[in-house]
Amino acid sequence: MQNAKVGIIGAGRIGQLHANNILRSSQIELKGICDINVTHLKGTNLEKYVPVITEDVSVLLNNAEIDAIFICSSTDTHCHYISQCAEAGKHIFCEKPISFSLEETEQALSKVKEAGVKLQIGFNRRFDTHFSKIHQLINDGKIGNTHMIKITSRDPEPPNEAYIKSSGGMFFDMTIHDFDMVRYLSNSEVKSVSVVASNLVDPVFEKYNDVDTAIITLTFEDGTLATIDNSRKAVYGYDQRIEVFGEDGVMLAENERKSNVKIATNEAVTIDHPKYFFLDRYKIAFEKEIEEFAQSILDNTSLSCTGEDGLQAQKLAIAAKKAWVEKRTVEMHEI
Amino acid sequence: MQNAKVGIIGAGRIGQLHANNILRSSQIELKGICDINVTHLKGTNLEKYVPVITEDVSVLLNNAEIDAIFICSSTDTHCHYISQCAEAGKHIFCEKPISFSLEETEQALSKVKEAGVKLQIGFNRRFDTHFSKIHQLINDGKIGNTHMIKITSRDPEPPNEAYIKSSGGMFFDMTIHDFDMVRYLSNSEVKSVSVVASNLVDPVFEKYNDVDTAIITLTFEDGTLATIDNSRKAVYGYDQRIEVFGEDGVMLAENERKSNVKIATNEAVTIDHPKYFFLDRYKIAFEKEIEEFAQSILDNTSLSCTGEDGLQAQKLAIAAKKAWVEKRTVEMHEI
Amino acid sequence: MQNAKVGIIGAGRIGQLHANNILRSSQIELKGICDINVTHLKGTNLEKYVPVITEDVSVLLNNAEIDAIFICSSTDTHCHYISQCAEAGKHIFCEKPISFSLEETEQALSKVKEAGVKLQIGFNRRFDTHFSKIHQLINDGKIGNTHMIKITSRDPEPPNEAYIKSSGGMFFDMTIHDFDMVRYLSNSEVKSVSVVASNLVDPVFEKYNDVDTAIITLTFEDGTLATIDNSRKAVYGYDQRIEVFGEDGVMLAENERKSNVKIATNEAVTIDHPKYFFLDRYKIAFEKEIEEFAQSILDNTSLSCTGEDGLQAQKLAIAAKKAWVEKRTVEMHEI
Amino acid sequence: MQNAKVGIIGAGRIGQLHANNILRSSQIELKGICDINVTHLKGTNLEKYVPVITEDVSVLLNNAEIDAIFICSSTDTHCHYISQCAEAGKHIFCEKPISFSLEETEQALSKVKEAGVKLQIGFNRRFDTHFSKIHQLINDGKIGNTHMIKITSRDPEPPNEAYIKSSGGMFFDMTIHDFDMVRYLSNSEVKSVSVVASNLVDPVFEKYNDVDTAIITLTFEDGTLATIDNSRKAVYGYDQRIEVFGEDGVMLAENERKSNVKIATNEAVTIDHPKYFFLDRYKIAFEKEIEEFAQSILDNTSLSCTGEDGLQAQKLAIAAKKAWVEKRTVEMHEI
């Protein structure tokens, strides 16, 4: 059995997550990790099992054995590395969002196209058991034409201030996943975007011209309507639900719970909380997305989540930001 | 035990429903029914048990024994009858919506105020077991300050064309209940209204400049956000759910099902359908609303669903229509 | 529309329940109530609406207008009244259990047969929405041949000591409903009965040679197996669930809850409690059983819950008692 | 980080399952596999990654590097290998049941005791997320004293005839897990065992004096009652549920489903099937049990599922068989 050989740029939280998943996979082999500073990897599993740990990106790019690079560095460096990887003829797995600038993203994508390498964007939720089942059932025609898509996406707790400052705002950092999901589930492109939003969770968001609670409303070319509701703080756990309503029925994906135990006492009947956050909820999805990426390289098949998908989600985030700032419905052709 | 004595104007579907509920109640006694044509009541229970069946409203208005009148006639006659009842010193239970015209409604309400009679509007959903529990839990502070209210309200099948023609449109006929519900659950008034809507169920709606699928987005004075999603056709049954998200948690009221039976076979695991339509789902609520009305008359206490509530819901319907026609967010102070 | 005219013997809790349901029914008319002492009815609805309130049974029995009698007196008087009613040519609705003595019951049933009157036993759970749906689905062949029936039946709190003393024991007073249910759901008769039981809830049960916690295991002629598990105290509410497992699947009837509201907070995710006790849970079933009884009289059709059903349930209670006392499996042919 | 070094005897389905889990674990290292015939391992992952593949047990037993042996061979060889491993000073993980003979088991356990090695039995369900949560909540006193334990344990489909012939019968092969579970959840030992059983699924079971449908009833020293209901065929999937009822409430562990997606159409409202069989349902539990075993070796701590637990479960299986054959309640002191 052949393996896909890969390197990772960026060994922060998400980079380490992918690295450890790769170590457990039989389809994919981790040849090297690069970070601007690698001292935090001392004494970890990664140091023991990964042949190359480096602070020099060219060591990975010039390694002929390496088929593909995972870009897990900060968002503002993504496009730079995408271009470099493409030039080096490496396939690319890039974390979301691609960038904050449409120009940068478009340039990077054109480099990818020229080089003829594969580019997958890290929209891991497409690989969630429940959401991918919804996707499949829609395409199987189970509920006929889609009339309405409703996504509930609430984080258990707000990020810290440093993160808020550099995240690009809620629409870029958090809603971007939901923008991709709504596209993944619909068979039409978004026509217009409206937003109502508030600052209800913590004043720190207002400080950075950000919001913490929002309802984004979308209309699609084919008449489908959609809402995404977001909050930076859901005290009961990570709230990730989807409902799709169509001419022949409705489908819902409920939260995953920590356990299926129900307790009834005199005081209350309780069921367990939703899984706490994305590391628990999307554990399997993170594993599946890299398996598909590896498989696609080994079999030279097309990807189900491409740079184009990353670009479209980025455009929706830009439209939402604009709709919020200008307090009006933004048509997608404006972006 | 004393009874409240009442008459009914309008013996269509909803009038007969109230009449039969009154017959089963020990707190309220039905003294007369008036309709423009009463031939359809021949041979019914109502003919047997109701002392007066008449085509002349004044027979009820002049009956000194009658404490209150239920106005169940067509919407365009409501204000006229409200005024007449108020002048006759009768308490009033009026079906929703009060009228299609704000001027008419305001005049009628001022007549009610002058006369010092009670006026309850038929927003029966306030008396639903599940929704009134949500209301109570919000007021008990169970989830702290409210951040978001989401109402799903979908009819199992569209009304017939004659009804569509005269209903005043989806916002007046169907969403009006949801407008009242969102006010019932919030502790703040609506500040602005936005609408996205489509004609996806049946072209007949477009013929009458109506829509059949809509998402109404509301912002409140206190920053609370809300959505109402409506469809004229949910093939799986009457879909009536509410979710309220707050700083300390979330509450959901699920649909009532025809039974609690679950069946698992090789083919599928199935649970029962939601109750078919409002007569099943809101059966108890229809009974409770007239009990509260009667109790309020007997004890001379204030009502929980007044003419003012009817007026506000009507304003929201007008705003939604305007938002839809003008394709913009409408501020409530414009109405 | 014709009504069935009835009288009631015994105006305790269950007699008054039926009386009030009859008052609300359009198919059945309450002509008289008899109790050994009627002073507790002074000032009630019943006094106002029921023409005859008497302490003399013959007043009801000799009233030619009366079609049927509801026997709601204490269990030890049932057979006496059944015989008297049968002799007077009255149809009979008798509360469960018919009696504590097989001989008495058999004599009473033979009187009923001779007189050609109808006899319905008050096994109200056959009329429960969920359980009757299970019954229907079994008969529709939804899960093929039945392999196993499991009934959970737990009261929210124990009865008072006076009741315990005269109830005939848990098997006669409480499990009798479950014995009827298991027969209602199976298409075969019970072959043998085993019991394990404990005194875990309150020592008062041991004082009267009774148990408060039990598992009754049944085998049927066709190989079907069944368990009934009972407790006199379920602090979380009335626990009434049924599961039927067959060659092609499984069916479950879940508890009815006070509401469908779910609340998720930091502390817990809670759903509502089961309805508190039989007056709430079986409200509709109590209404339906008298409607069917009345309908059967008016249309002269056969009943779905007869004296024979009462006799068989009684035999099962006797077998269970015997199995418990003699600590062995009891074959039904022994009874 | 230190690893526990292990070998595996028996490379059938369960042996290969453990082998692959060990390969993915960072705490445990697979040094060798022994089977009576190893040709079926050619070309597998195991051949590639495991240093020693042998048909000679002594190769593993004499390997000084190996800390522990997994015994995954056929049941009739377990005790022989337990003794050999103990003599060789190896810790032991042995699949269930230990043996079909009490004498053999007791001799083997005494060898283990003499040698002072650790012995864990493969009751993987103790490591299930939901069941271990139930266990913990009981011990936390959430529902007070236990009154009743109900285990539903139904396989999706019967094993093949060869397996049936050598399995030792349903009580030894299938119920043994439930016997262990009921002991794991109770805080008291079983006092007596009763059984009702039928042959309803397939006549092949009767051919080998086996049953395919059974209800086992247990009484405990402290008065707790329990039932286990088993079927060899549940067409809707692997049915693994537990309910524990106590003085202060009830707890239920529901099945895990393939997904949390619900679909409502005109025809039906469906949720997903339970996971298909033990490889899906207990995937995580199989991983956790070997992690605990390794941890216990590395830290020299005591195990939560020991040889004594295996012995007690075996005694319960013997008692159940006896109760079934002799058609009577068997007291545990008889075994």
Side-chain angles (χ1 to χ4, degrees):
Chain A
M1 194 177 62
Q2 216 193 334
N3 284 343
K5 274 80 175 174
V6 306
I8 292 179
I9 298 172
R13 184 172 59 172
I14 192 73
Q16 291 188 48
L17 170 74
H18 287 310
N20 280 295
N21 282 339
I22 291 168
L23 287 184
R24 279 193 290 268
S25 166
S26 57
Q27 279 194 295
I28 183 164
E29 198 177 331
L30 185 51
K31 288 291 184 184
I33 295 179
C34 171
D35 203 315
I36 44 175
N37 186 324
V38 296
T39 50
H40 66 297
L41 300 179
K42 292 269 175 214
T44 65
N45 253 357
L46 297 178
E47 195 191 26
K48 190 155 60 179
Y49 294 117
V50 182
V52 176
I53 306 275
T54 176
E55 296 182 354
D56 178 359
V57 169
S58 66
V59 173
L60 301 187
L61 296 176
N62 295 333
N63 183 336
E65 241 194 342
I66 288 179
D67 302 309
I69 300 284
F70 280 66
I71 302 174
C72 305
S73 49
S74 63
T75 301
D76 56 334
T77 67
H78 285 177
C79 285
H80 175 66
Y81 289 133
I82 289 174
S83 300
Q84 283 197 298
C85 291
E87 277 163 20
K90 308 298 189 196
H91 300 297
I92 303 157
F93 181 106
C94 181
E95 272 307 317
K96 49 98 265 191
I98 300 181
S99 81
F100 298 130
S101 143
L102 271 188
E103 291 68 29
E104 260 187 41
T105 297
E106 280 163 354
Q107 281 169 15
L109 294 191
S110 90
K111 285 277 176 67
V112 167
K113 202 173 168 186
E114 267 172 50
V117 297
K118 293 176 195 299
L119 169 59
Q120 180 170 333
I121 306 301
F123 286 127
N124 56 297
R125 296 183 195 176
R126 289 189 180 220
F127 300 87
D128 176 64
T129 306
H130 319 292
F131 297 166
S132 60
K133 175 121 194 189
I134 291 264
H135 173 75
Q136 173 208 317
L137 290 166
I138 289 171
N139 289 340
D140 291 352
K142 271 284 178 193
I143 58 163
N145 290 327
T146 298
H147 288 184
M148 210 182 279
I149 300 171
K150 292 167 65 182
I151 296 178
T152 291
S153 179
R154 299 172 187 154
D155 283 357
E157 53 183 342
N160 58 39
E161 187 164 348
Y163 185 91
I164 295 167
K165 198 173 168 176
S166 67
S167 79
M170 191 168 75
F171 303 125
F172 277 89
D173 142 46
M174 184 174 159
T175 323
I176 193 109
H177 276 296
D178 308 310
F179 286 131
D180 182 61
M181 184 51 61
V182 88
R183 286 188 65 250
Y184 174 60
L185 296 178
S186 70
N187 290 302
S188 172
E189 289 291 342
V190 174
K191 194 163 152 281
S192 68
V193 179
S194 315
V195 171
V196 294
S198 286
N199 178 224
L200 298 168
V201 170
D202 194 320
V204 70
F205 289 101
E206 200 161 27
K207 185 170 158 191
Y208 297 99
N209 291 315
D210 202 359
V211 295
D212 51 39
T213 309
I215 296 172
I216 298 101
T217 309
L218 309 163
T219 61
F220 285 76
E221 299 288 354
D222 66 358
T224 300
L225 310 176
T227 57
I228 296 164
D229 72 84
N230 291 145
S231 171
R232 284 288 196 185
K233 188 175 183 187
V235 295
Y236 50 91
Y238 196 37
D239 198 348
Q240 297 281 298
R241 287 172 288 150
I242 289 179
E243 177 174 334
V244 184
F245 173 79
E247 65 180 334
D248 296 335
V250 70
M251 291 190 292
L252 300 96
E254 299 281 356
N255 283 315
E256 278 190 12
R257 302 190 171 276
K258 289 180 183 172
S259 82
N260 293 336
V261 175
K262 181 161 75 172
I263 314 173
T265 66
N266 186 31
E267 279 165 23
V269 182
T270 60
I271 57 176
D272 218 335
H273 277 101
K275 289 186 173 172
Y276 175 64
F277 212 166
F278 66 95
L279 295 181
D280 306 306
R281 165 60 190 264
Y282 293 121
K283 185 175 184 298
I284 305 294
F286 278 118
E287 291 169 17
K288 279 193 189 160
E289 71 173 352
I290 66 168
E291 297 288 336
E292 174 170 321
F293 180 61
Q295 201 64 52
S296 165
I297 291 170
L298 295 171
D299 301 347
N300 193 20
T301 53
S302 61
L303 294 162
S304 64
C305 181
T306 65
E308 179 63 21
D309 293 317
L311 175 66
Q312 291 305 325
Q314 192 180 334
K315 283 188 176 176
L316 287 167
I318 291 167
K321 185 73 181 272
K322 194 177 180 69
W324 166 238
V325 170
E326 302 180 9
K327 309 246 166 281
R328 65 175 182 92
T329 299
V330 168
E331 302 294 320
M332 284 309 292
H333 62 68
E334 299 178 45
I335 307 301
Chain B
M1 194 176 63
Q2 216 193 332
N3 285 342
K5 272 81 176 175
V6 306
I8 292 178
I9 298 172
R13 184 173 59 174
I14 192 73
Q16 291 187 48
L17 170 74
H18 287 309
N20 281 293
N21 282 339
I22 292 168
L23 287 184
R24 278 194 289 269
S25 165
S26 58
Q27 279 194 294
I28 183 165
E29 197 177 332
L30 185 52
K31 288 292 186 184
I33 295 178
C34 171
D35 202 317
I36 45 176
N37 186 325
V38 297
T39 50
H40 67 296
L41 299 179
K42 292 270 174 211
T44 64
N45 252 358
L46 297 179
E47 195 192 26
K48 190 154 61 181
Y49 294 118
V50 182
V52 175
I53 306 276
T54 177
E55 295 181 352
D56 179 1
V57 168
S58 65
V59 173
L60 300 186
L61 295 176
N62 296 332
N63 183 335
E65 242 195 340
I66 289 180
D67 302 309
I69 299 285
F70 280 67
I71 302 174
C72 305
S73 50
S74 62
T75 300
D76 57 335
T77 66
H78 285 177
C79 284
H80 174 67
Y81 288 134
I82 289 173
S83 299
Q84 283 197 298
C85 290
E87 277 164 20
K90 308 298 189 197
H91 299 298
I92 303 157
F93 180 106
C94 181
E95 271 307 318
K96 47 97 282 195
I98 300 182
S99 81
F100 299 128
S101 144
L102 271 187
E103 291 69 30
E104 261 186 42
T105 298
E106 280 163 354
Q107 281 168 16
L109 295 190
S110 90
K111 284 281 176 66
V112 166
K113 202 174 170 187
E114 266 171 51
V117 296
K118 293 175 195 301
L119 169 59
Q120 180 170 331
I121 306 303
F123 287 127
N124 55 296
R125 295 182 195 177
R126 290 188 179 219
F127 300 87
D128 176 65
T129 305
H130 319 294
F131 298 165
S132 59
K133 175 121 194 189
I134 290 265
H135 172 75
Q136 173 210 315
L137 289 166
I138 290 171
N139 289 339
D140 291 353
K142 271 282 179 193
I143 57 164
N145 289 328
T146 298
H147 288 185
M148 211 182 279
I149 299 171
K150 291 169 63 183
I151 296 179
T152 291
S153 178
R154 299 170 188 155
D155 282 357
E157 53 182 341
N160 59 39
E161 187 164 347
Y163 185 91
I164 294 166
K165 199 174 169 175
S166 69
S167 78
M170 192 168 75
F171 303 124
F172 278 88
D173 142 45
M174 186 174 157
T175 323
I176 192 108
H177 276 295
D178 308 310
F179 287 131
D180 182 61
M181 184 51 61
V182 88
R183 286 188 64 250
Y184 173 60
L185 296 178
S186 69
N187 289 302
S188 172
E189 288 293 341
V190 174
K191 192 162 154 281
S192 69
V193 178
S194 315
V195 171
V196 294
S198 286
N199 177 224
L200 298 168
V201 171
D202 193 320
V204 71
F205 289 101
E206 199 161 28
K207 186 171 158 191
Y208 296 101
N209 292 315
D210 202 359
V211 295
D212 51 39
T213 310
I215 296 172
I216 298 101
T217 309
L218 308 164
T219 60
F220 286 75
E221 299 288 354
D222 66 358
T224 300
L225 310 176
T227 57
I228 296 164
D229 72 83
N230 291 145
S231 171
R232 284 289 196 184
K233 188 176 183 185
V235 295
Y236 50 91
Y238 196 38
D239 198 348
Q240 297 281 297
R241 287 172 288 150
I242 289 179
E243 176 174 334
V244 184
F245 172 79
E247 64 180 335
D248 296 334
V250 70
M251 292 190 290
L252 300 95
E254 300 281 356
N255 283 315
E256 279 190 11
R257 302 191 171 276
K258 288 180 183 172
S259 82
N260 293 336
V261 175
K262 180 160 76 172
I263 314 172
T265 67
N266 187 31
E267 281 166 20
V269 183
T270 60
I271 56 175
D272 219 334
H273 278 101
K275 289 188 172 172
Y276 175 63
F277 212 167
F278 66 96
L279 295 181
D280 305 308
R281 165 62 191 262
Y282 294 119
K283 187 176 183 296
I284 305 294
F286 278 118
E287 292 169 16
K288 279 194 189 159
E289 71 173 351
I290 66 169
E291 297 287 336
E292 172 168 322
F293 180 61
Q295 201 65 53
S296 164
I297 291 169
L298 294 171
D299 301 348
N300 195 21
T301 52
S302 60
L303 293 162
S304 64
C305 180
T306 65
E308 179 63 21
D309 293 316
L311 175 67
Q312 292 305 326
Q314 192 179 333
K315 283 187 176 176
L316 287 167
I318 291 167
K321 186 72 180 271
K322 193 176 179 72
W324 167 237
V325 169
E326 303 181 8
K327 309 241 167 285
R328 65 174 183 93
T329 299
V330 169
E331 302 294 320
M332 283 309 293
H333 61 69
E334 300 178 46
I335 307 300
Chain C
M1 194 175 63
Q2 216 192 332
N3 284 342
K5 272 81 175 177
V6 306
I8 292 178
I9 298 173
R13 184 172 60 173
I14 192 73
Q16 290 187 48
L17 171 74
H18 287 310
N20 280 294
N21 281 340
I22 292 168
L23 287 184
R24 279 193 289 267
S25 164
S26 58
Q27 279 193 294
I28 184 164
E29 197 177 333
L30 185 51
K31 287 293 186 183
I33 295 179
C34 171
D35 203 317
I36 44 174
N37 186 324
V38 297
T39 49
H40 67 295
L41 301 179
K42 292 271 174 211
T44 65
N45 251 359
L46 297 178
E47 195 192 27
K48 189 154 62 178
Y49 294 118
V50 183
V52 175
I53 305 275
T54 177
E55 297 181 353
D56 178 0
V57 169
S58 65
V59 172
L60 300 186
L61 295 176
N62 295 331
N63 183 335
E65 243 194 339
I66 288 179
D67 301 310
I69 300 286
F70 280 67
I71 302 175
C72 305
S73 50
S74 63
T75 301
D76 56 336
T77 66
H78 286 177
C79 284
H80 175 66
Y81 288 134
I82 289 175
S83 299
Q84 282 196 300
C85 290
E87 276 164 20
K90 306 301 190 196
H91 299 296
I92 303 157
F93 182 105
C94 181
E95 271 307 316
K96 48 99 267 187
I98 300 182
S99 81
F100 298 129
S101 144
L102 271 188
E103 291 70 28
E104 261 187 41
T105 298
E106 280 163 353
Q107 281 170 15
L109 294 190
S110 91
K111 284 279 177 65
V112 166
K113 202 174 170 186
E114 265 171 53
V117 295
K118 292 175 195 301
L119 169 58
Q120 180 170 332
I121 307 302
F123 286 128
N124 55 297
R125 295 183 195 176
R126 288 189 180 219
F127 300 87
D128 176 65
T129 306
H130 319 293
F131 298 165
S132 59
K133 175 120 194 190
I134 291 265
H135 172 76
Q136 173 210 315
L137 290 166
I138 290 171
N139 289 339
D140 290 353
K142 272 283 178 194
I143 56 164
N145 289 326
T146 298
H147 288 186
M148 212 182 277
I149 300 171
K150 292 168 64 184
I151 297 179
T152 291
S153 179
R154 299 171 189 154
D155 282 358
E157 52 181 342
N160 58 40
E161 188 165 348
Y163 185 91
I164 294 167
K165 198 174 169 176
S166 68
S167 79
M170 191 168 76
F171 303 124
F172 277 89
D173 142 44
M174 186 175 157
T175 324
I176 193 108
H177 275 296
D178 307 310
F179 287 132
D180 182 62
M181 185 50 62
V182 88
R183 286 188 65 250
Y184 173 62
L185 295 179
S186 70
N187 289 301
S188 173
E189 288 293 340
V190 175
K191 193 163 153 283
S192 68
V193 179
S194 315
V195 170
V196 293
S198 288
N199 178 224
L200 298 167
V201 170
D202 194 319
V204 70
F205 289 101
E206 200 161 28
K207 185 171 158 192
Y208 296 101
N209 293 314
D210 202 359
V211 295
D212 52 38
T213 309
I215 296 172
I216 298 102
T217 309
L218 308 164
T219 61
F220 285 76
E221 299 288 355
D222 66 357
T224 300
L225 309 176
T227 56
I228 296 164
D229 72 83
N230 291 144
S231 171
R232 285 288 197 185
K233 188 175 182 185
V235 296
Y236 50 91
Y238 197 37
D239 198 348
Q240 298 281 296
R241 288 172 287 150
I242 289 179
E243 177 174 334
V244 184
F245 172 78
E247 65 181 333
D248 296 335
V250 70
M251 292 189 291
L252 300 97
E254 299 281 357
N255 283 315
E256 279 190 10
R257 302 190 171 277
K258 288 180 183 172
S259 82
N260 293 335
V261 174
K262 181 160 76 173
I263 314 172
T265 66
N266 186 32
E267 281 166 21
V269 182
T270 61
I271 56 176
D272 218 335
H273 278 100
K275 290 187 172 173
Y276 174 64
F277 212 167
F278 65 95
L279 296 181
D280 306 307
R281 165 60 189 262
Y282 293 121
K283 187 175 183 297
I284 305 294
F286 278 117
E287 291 170 16
K288 280 194 189 159
E289 71 173 352
I290 67 168
E291 297 287 336
E292 172 169 321
F293 180 61
Q295 201 63 54
S296 164
I297 290 170
L298 295 171
D299 301 348
N300 194 21
T301 52
S302 60
L303 293 162
S304 65
C305 181
T306 66
E308 180 64 20
D309 293 318
L311 176 66
Q312 293 305 325
Q314 193 179 333
K315 284 187 175 175
L316 287 167
I318 290 167
K321 186 73 181 271
K322 194 177 180 70
W324 166 238
V325 169
E326 303 181 7
K327 308 246 166 281
R328 65 176 183 90
T329 299
V330 168
E331 301 294 320
M332 283 309 292
H333 61 69
E334 299 177 47
I335 307 301
Chain D
M1 195 176 60
Q2 213 191 335
N3 284 343
K5 273 80 175 176
V6 306
I8 291 178
I9 299 173
R13 184 173 59 174
I14 192 73
Q16 291 187 49
L17 170 74
H18 287 310
N20 280 294
N21 282 339
I22 291 168
L23 287 184
R24 279 194 289 268
S25 166
S26 56
Q27 279 194 294
I28 183 164
E29 198 177 333
L30 185 51
K31 287 292 184 183
I33 294 179
C34 171
D35 202 315
I36 44 176
N37 186 322
V38 297
T39 50
H40 67 294
L41 300 179
K42 293 267 174 217
T44 64
N45 251 358
L46 297 179
E47 195 191 26
K48 190 156 59 179
Y49 294 118
V50 181
V52 176
I53 305 275
T54 177
E55 296 182 353
D56 179 0
V57 169
S58 64
V59 173
L60 300 187
L61 295 177
N62 296 332
N63 183 334
E65 240 195 343
I66 288 180
D67 302 309
I69 300 285
F70 280 67
I71 302 175
C72 305
S73 51
S74 63
T75 300
D76 56 334
T77 65
H78 285 178
C79 285
H80 174 67
Y81 289 133
I82 289 174
S83 299
Q84 283 197 299
C85 292
E87 277 163 20
K90 307 298 190 198
H91 300 297
I92 303 156
F93 181 105
C94 180
E95 270 307 317
K96 48 98 267 188
I98 300 183
S99 81
F100 298 129
S101 144
L102 271 187
E103 289 70 29
E104 263 186 40
T105 298
E106 279 162 355
Q107 282 169 15
L109 295 191
S110 88
K111 285 279 178 63
V112 166
K113 203 173 167 185
E114 267 171 50
V117 296
K118 292 176 195 300
L119 169 59
Q120 180 170 332
I121 307 301
F123 287 127
N124 56 297
R125 295 183 196 176
R126 288 188 180 220
F127 300 87
D128 176 65
T129 306
H130 319 293
F131 297 166
S132 59
K133 175 119 195 191
I134 289 265
H135 173 75
Q136 173 210 317
L137 290 166
I138 289 171
N139 289 340
D140 291 352
K142 270 284 178 193
I143 57 164
N145 289 327
T146 298
H147 288 186
M148 211 181 279
I149 300 171
K150 291 168 66 182
I151 297 179
T152 291
S153 179
R154 298 171 188 154
D155 283 358
E157 52 182 342
N160 59 40
E161 188 166 345
Y163 184 91
I164 294 167
K165 200 173 167 176
S166 68
S167 79
M170 191 168 76
F171 302 125
F172 278 89
D173 142 46
M174 185 175 158
T175 324
I176 193 107
H177 275 296
D178 307 310
F179 286 132
D180 182 62
M181 185 49 62
V182 88
R183 286 188 64 252
Y184 173 60
L185 295 178
S186 70
N187 289 304
S188 172
E189 288 292 340
V190 174
K191 192 162 153 282
S192 68
V193 178
S194 315
V195 171
V196 294
S198 287
N199 177 224
L200 298 167
V201 170
D202 194 319
V204 71
F205 290 101
E206 199 161 28
K207 187 171 157 190
Y208 296 101
N209 291 315
D210 202 359
V211 295
D212 52 37
T213 310
I215 296 172
I216 298 100
T217 309
L218 309 163
T219 60
F220 286 76
E221 300 288 354
D222 67 357
T224 300
L225 309 176
T227 56
I228 296 164
D229 71 85
N230 291 145
S231 171
R232 284 288 197 185
K233 189 177 183 185
V235 296
Y236 50 91
Y238 197 37
D239 198 348
Q240 298 280 299
R241 287 171 287 151
I242 289 179
E243 177 175 334
V244 184
F245 172 79
E247 64 180 335
D248 296 334
V250 69
M251 291 190 291
L252 300 97
E254 300 281 356
N255 283 315
E256 278 190 11
R257 302 191 171 277
K258 289 180 183 171
S259 82
N260 293 336
V261 174
K262 181 160 76 172
I263 315 171
T265 66
N266 187 31
E267 281 166 20
V269 182
T270 61
I271 56 176
D272 218 334
H273 278 101
K275 289 187 172 172
Y276 175 64
F277 212 166
F278 65 95
L279 295 181
D280 306 307
R281 166 60 191 263
Y282 293 120
K283 186 175 183 300
I284 305 294
F286 279 117
E287 292 169 15
K288 280 194 190 158
E289 70 173 353
I290 66 168
E291 297 287 336
E292 172 170 321
F293 180 61
Q295 201 63 54
S296 165
I297 290 170
L298 295 171
D299 301 348
N300 193 21
T301 52
S302 60
L303 293 162
S304 65
C305 181
T306 65
E308 179 63 20
D309 293 317
L311 175 66
Q312 292 305 325
Q314 192 179 332
K315 283 186 175 175
L316 287 167
I318 290 167
K321 185 72 180 271
K322 194 176 179 72
W324 166 237
V325 169
E326 302 181 8
K327 308 245 166 283
R328 66 175 182 91
T329 300
V330 168
E331 301 295 320
M332 284 309 292
H333 61 69
E334 300 178 46
I335 306 302

